[in-house]
């Protein structure tokens, strides 16, 4: 019966026809176009137009309300009928609402209730669509809710379970982007149900591209096929895609693979309110010095993903090791080599009630739509919080719960790959480190053998653009007379370049290099570094991935040393 409707509206229709619910919350991708299958193809309408003209097309009256526009109507008949009813009310109580409609929720709700009861008593059918519902009944705790918000909540709750409203052909639709932005009492009301509108899938994107360009010559618009454009626009909604097509049409700029990737990144970052950032690099795992076993392991994951074996991938990785060992660089290079986008979560927390959860809901919806995608969270021990966190009205514990639940969704295995990075894995909640979430624990350590030290020197020389006057490997590095992490080596080589520039030398001579390396004193926190190192050893989930010097260490001794170091470090 509803096969020509999108899935979310089929669910909407089934629930409404059960005659037990008349109040619905639509959330998610609510500012997009809605596909509607017709005999001559698929057409696309704005959500409110779809609801009013198609979904509620047979209703006698359809009314819209939002805080900025006030009350408005689907058609002139609905408006005329409402004005007639309000004029009668004005003559009775002396108001002048027929001349100037109120916009504030309290007076609007009062007017609407009187109108609804009048028309439902006459067996008329009515639909009410409230846009930007979060401005009418915003998220707030019971102690801080204002009188206006409280009154709006009472009206909406009453309409949801009033026997007269339930027995009549009446529906209230609340539209909001983030469910977390709405008052929890309303969302959890047993007489109210919420339905999520997802970002369109690849098939819907292709149909829209074909619909939008049916009068165009595709060769004039794009250098890549429509199927490739549909594939590469994962994470974008139809309005975003229309923007890409319009730019190609109006500005005569053909769509290219590179241009499409850049436009997609800009649009997704804008959709996520700047809370997501794409991480890009031209490097691959070949540019990562040392960490031989870990690189080999990650390359096996690359092969699995490229072969379509998402089922064998871990849900996520915990990458740990002392500061300066190149955790972030390694993960970025992995994403570059496997050919999937890598995004970094930026600070989504807010001081305002409910905003943090709303931001996170938006981010997680985008990640699901963008798949396959890798997600990088640096300093994860501090960033993700804890289930038992307190002191912020429960925000941190709710955020933790949202992320933990999303990470453990097995439908995302191999499609959303999590990388949680930390120098202190012992501070990470066990809930996130367990199997089914960050399943694979990788440990990185400073170079130990001569081969590793030389490899790190050569890699950092290339990265920093170090030009030597002759081929030369410093003895200090070959013999391991000083311990350098990747960050230390980069800083020391940059100083060598500085010394050469100060001496008007175009290239760094062996003497200058030796002097710079000998002079370099990295900040030393020996106990903290040892604590981070041993924590990484004890956290690693594969003996093969540990350097030989750590494989046969007694784990009880390591744990005892860690506890002693924690006490001394404080």
């Amino acid at each position: 019966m509803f096969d020509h409707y999108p899935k979310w509206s089929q669910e909407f229709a089934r629930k409404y026809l059960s005659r037990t619910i008349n109040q619905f919350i639509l959330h998610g991708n609510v500012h997009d176009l809605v596909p509607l299958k017709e005999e001559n193809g698929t057409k696309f309408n704005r959500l409110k137009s779809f609801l009013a003209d198609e979904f509620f097309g047979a209703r006698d009256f359809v009314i819209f309300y939002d805080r900025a526009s006030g009350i408005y109507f689907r058609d002139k008949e609905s408006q005329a009928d409402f004005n007639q009813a309000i004029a009668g009310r004005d003559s009775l109580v002396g108001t002048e609402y027929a001349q100037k409609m109120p916009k504030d929720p309290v007076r609007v709700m009062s007017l609407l209730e009187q109108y609804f009861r009048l028309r439902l008593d006459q067996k008329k059918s009515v639909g009410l669509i409230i846009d930007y519902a979060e401005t009418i009944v915003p998220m707030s705790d019971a102690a801080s809710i204002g009188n206006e918000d409280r009154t709006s909540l009472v009206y909406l709750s009453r309409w949801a379970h009033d026997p007269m409203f339930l027995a009549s052909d009446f529906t209230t639709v609340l539209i909001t982007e983030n469910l977390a932005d709405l008052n929890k009492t309303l969302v959890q009301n047993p007489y109210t149900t919420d339905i999520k509108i997802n970002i369109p899938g690849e098939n819907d994107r292709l149909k829209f591209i074909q619909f939008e360009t049916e009068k165009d010559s595709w060769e004039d618009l794009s250098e890549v096929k429509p199927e490739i454009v549909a594939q590469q626009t994962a994470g974008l909604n139809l309005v975003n895609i229309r923007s890409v097509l319009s730019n190609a049409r109006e500005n005569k700029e053909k769509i290219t693979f590179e241009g499409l990737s850049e436009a997609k990144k800009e649009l997704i970052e804008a959709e996520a309110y700047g809370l997501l950032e794409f991480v890009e690099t031209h490097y691959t795992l070949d540019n990562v010095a040392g960490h031989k076993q870990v690189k080999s392991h990650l390359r096996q994951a690359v092969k699995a993903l490229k072969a379509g074996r998402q089922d064998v991938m871990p849900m996520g990785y915990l990458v740990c090791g002392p500061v300066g060992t190149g955790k972030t660089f390694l993960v970025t290079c992995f994403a570059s080599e496997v050919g999937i986008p890598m995004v970094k979560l930026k600070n989504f927390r807010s001081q305002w009630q409910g905003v943090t959860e709303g931001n996170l809901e938006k981010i997680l919806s985008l990640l699901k739509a963008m798949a396959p995608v890798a997600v990088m969270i640096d300093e994860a021990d501090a960033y993700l919080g804890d289930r038992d966190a307190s002191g912020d009205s429960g925000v941190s514990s709710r955020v933790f719960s949202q992320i933990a639940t999303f990470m453990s969704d097995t439908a995302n295995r191999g499609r959303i790959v999590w990388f949680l990075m930390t120098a202190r894995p012992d501070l990470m909640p066990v809930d996130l480190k367990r199997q089914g979430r960050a399943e694979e624990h990788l440990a990185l350590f400073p170079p130990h053998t001569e081969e590793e030290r030389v490899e790190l020197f050569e890699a950092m020389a290339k990265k920093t653009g170090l030009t030597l006057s002759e081929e030369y490997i410093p003895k200090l590095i070959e013999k391991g007379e000083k311990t350098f992490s990747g960050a230390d080596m980069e800083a020391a080589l940059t100083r060598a370049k500085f010394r050469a520039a100060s001496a008007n030398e175009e290239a760094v001579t062996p003497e200058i290099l030796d002097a710079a390396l000998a002079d370099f004193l990295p900040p030393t926190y020996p106990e903290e570094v040892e604590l981070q190192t041993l924590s990484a050893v004890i956290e690693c989930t594969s003996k093969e991935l540990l350097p030989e010097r750590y494989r046969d260490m007694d784990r009880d001794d390591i744990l005892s040393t860690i506890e002693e170091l924690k006490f001394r470090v404080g």
Side-chain angles (χ1 to χ4, degrees):
M1 180 178 179
F2 302 106
D3 291 344
H4 60 301
Y5 283 177
K7 285 184 179 179
W8 65 264
S9 58
Q10 293 179 31
E11 180 188 358
F12 189 164
R14 283 193 299 270
K15 288 184 175 180
Y16 176 72
L17 290 175
S18 70
R19 294 294 179 185
T20 58
I21 294 174
N22 69 6
Q23 192 165 102
F24 298 84
I25 302 171
L26 299 184
H27 62 102
N29 187 35
V30 295
H31 301 307
D32 201 11
L33 302 173
V34 179
L36 179 64
K37 296 177 185 175
E38 297 182 347
E39 289 184 6
N40 57 346
T42 302
K43 297 294 176 68
F44 297 84
N45 297 306
R46 286 285 188 178
L47 176 60
K48 286 191 291 186
S49 298
F50 169 79
L51 291 172
D53 300 331
E54 180 65 30
F55 206 82
F56 295 147
R59 297 290 173 97
D60 294 313
F61 309 113
V62 176
I63 299 173
F64 299 95
Y65 171 60
D66 68 63
R67 217 180 165 114
S69 304
I71 301 171
Y72 53 108
F73 307 89
R74 175 187 63 187
D75 46 47
K76 291 181 179 179
E77 290 76 16
S78 295
Q79 183 172 4
D81 184 77
F82 188 85
N83 287 341
Q84 181 184 355
I86 297 308
R89 180 190 184 283
D90 285 347
S91 63
L92 285 174
V93 297
T95 53
E96 297 181 352
Y97 288 152
Q99 277 71 45
K100 187 176 182 180
M101 290 279 193
K103 292 184 178 181
D104 61 284
V106 173
R107 289 189 295 168
V108 165
M109 297 287 188
S110 175
L111 273 180
L112 289 176
E113 176 159 309
Q114 292 177 52
Y115 174 73
F116 293 154
R117 292 189 181 280
L118 181 64
R119 291 299 175 252
L120 295 180
D121 191 49
Q122 298 170 350
K123 307 301 180 186
K124 299 293 186 181
S125 56
V126 181
L128 170 66
I129 300 169
I130 300 179
D131 203 358
Y132 300 99
E134 70 278 5
T135 64
I136 310 298
V137 277
M139 170 61 189
S140 58
D141 55 47
S144 62
I145 187 170
N147 287 333
E148 185 179 83
D149 299 343
R150 197 188 307 273
T151 302
S152 300
L153 179 61
V154 168
Y155 274 114
L156 290 170
S157 300
R158 186 162 65 214
W159 297 347
H161 62 74
D162 187 293
M164 179 184 186
F165 284 63
L166 283 170
S168 304
D169 196 4
F170 172 82
T171 310
T172 303
V173 181
L174 302 163
I175 300 175
T176 185
E177 193 169 5
N178 294 320
L179 192 63
D181 291 342
L182 284 183
N183 187 289
K184 285 285 189 291
T185 303
L186 183 70
V187 174
Q188 296 168 358
N189 189 328
Y191 295 96
T192 300
T193 190
D194 63 272
I195 296 173
K196 185 172 184 178
I197 303 178
N198 291 314
I199 292 173
E202 185 175 333
N203 190 43
D204 284 334
R205 296 196 298 272
L206 180 58
K207 286 181 179 177
F208 177 72
I209 290 167
Q210 292 167 341
F211 167 80
E212 193 72 7
T213 60
E214 59 186 359
K215 296 180 181 179
D216 296 295
S217 167
W218 183 256
E219 290 72 22
D220 292 339
L221 291 179
S222 176
E223 294 179 3
V224 293
K225 295 179 179 179
E227 293 78 9
I228 301 298
V229 175
Q231 185 182 67
Q232 293 300 313
T233 48
L236 297 184
N237 62 28
L238 303 182
V239 171
N240 294 150
I241 295 172
R242 174 178 279 174
S243 174
V244 172
L245 296 172
S246 296
N247 180 68
R249 185 185 297 116
E250 301 301 327
N251 296 323
K252 309 298 182 186
E253 295 179 6
K254 283 190 177 184
I255 297 170
T256 63
F257 192 88
E258 294 76 14
L260 187 61
S261 297
E262 193 59 38
K264 173 183 170 178
K265 289 169 188 173
E266 290 177 3
L267 289 166
I268 286 179
E269 286 178 354
E271 280 289 313
Y273 316 128
L275 303 171
L276 273 183
E277 177 186 352
F278 280 83
V279 180
E280 297 181 83
T281 183
H282 300 297
Y283 299 111
T284 68
L285 290 172
D286 289 332
N287 300 102
V288 177
H291 314 311
K292 187 175 180 180
Q293 293 92 344
V294 173
K295 288 192 293 184
S296 175
H297 179 79
L298 289 176
R299 283 205 161 108
Q300 291 171 8
V302 169
K303 287 181 182 177
L305 281 173
K306 288 187 174 179
R309 291 301 307 273
Q310 286 95 342
D311 59 306
V312 303
M313 286 291 294
M315 298 291 286
Y317 293 88
L318 175 64
V319 185
C320 50
V323 292
T325 48
K327 296 183 288 293
T328 302
F329 186 62
L330 175 85
V331 171
T332 308
C333 290
F334 166 81
S336 171
E337 195 155 305
V338 80
I340 62 175
M342 165 74 76
V343 294
K344 184 176 183 180
L345 299 194
K346 298 173 78 173
N347 186 18
F348 55 81
R349 296 174 186 270
S350 170
Q351 61 178 318
W352 305 112
Q353 180 84 14
V355 174
T356 296
E357 295 96 318
N359 287 343
L360 184 55
E361 182 184 325
K362 175 78 172 179
I363 289 169
L364 297 181
S365 295
L366 274 172
L367 291 178
K368 198 155 190 171
M370 287 168 61
V373 63
V375 186
M376 174 196 297
I377 301 182
D378 218 343
E379 307 294 343
D381 56 292
Y383 188 90
L384 295 176
D386 195 309
R387 192 184 298 280
D388 300 321
S390 59
D392 58 0
S393 302
V395 173
S396 291
S397 61
R398 289 195 296 272
V399 163
F400 179 88
S401 180
Q402 273 181 279
I403 292 178
T405 301
F406 188 84
M407 283 182 67
S408 60
D409 184 353
T410 53
N412 296 328
R413 185 180 291 277
R415 293 175 51 77
I416 301 176
V417 186
W418 294 85
F419 287 91
L420 312 183
M421 294 168 291
T422 176
R424 288 292 304 274
D426 54 303
L427 299 179
M428 289 278 293
V430 175
D431 286 23
L432 289 181
K433 297 190 291 184
R434 70 166 175 80
Q435 297 303 296
R437 289 182 180 141
E439 298 176 330
E440 200 79 58
H441 299 184
L442 309 178
L444 307 185
F445 303 96
H448 185 68
T449 66
E450 179 180 336
E451 180 187 0
E452 289 175 338
R453 291 192 296 271
V454 171
E455 187 182 359
L456 178 63
F457 168 74
E458 291 175 341
M460 286 303 165
K462 185 176 181 180
K463 185 178 180 183
T464 57
L466 180 76
T467 303
L468 290 169
S469 60
E470 60 185 83
E471 194 171 313
Y472 178 67
I473 302 294
K475 295 292 185 290
L476 182 145
I477 288 172
E478 280 186 331
K479 295 179 180 179
E481 295 171 4
K482 238 183 198 181
T483 300
F484 289 89
S485 68
D488 294 339
M489 185 72 76
E490 185 174 356
L493 297 187
T494 302
R495 289 191 189 182
K497 289 173 61 181
F498 178 82
R499 286 183 177 226
S502 299
N504 292 320
E505 297 280 358
E506 291 187 5
V508 176
T509 64
E511 293 76 21
I512 290 176
L513 181 57
D514 283 339
L517 293 173
D519 177 67
F520 182 75
L521 293 174
T524 53
Y525 314 102
E527 291 185 334
E528 285 89 340
V529 171
E530 186 181 1
L531 174 58
Q532 293 169 2
T533 301
L534 293 180
S535 296
V537 171
I538 209 72
E539 200 67 53
C540 186
T541 53
S542 171
K543 194 172 183 179
E544 289 181 358
L545 298 182
L546 284 172
E548 286 186 22
R549 64 189 183 278
Y550 296 125
R551 288 179 189 172
D552 298 320
M553 291 179 70
D554 186 277
R555 295 180 73 82
D556 288 336
D557 288 345
I558 296 175
L559 289 169
S560 176
T561 305
I562 287 174
E563 290 306 313
E564 183 181 339
L565 287 167
K566 283 183 179 179
F567 177 77
R568 281 155 53 183
V569 168

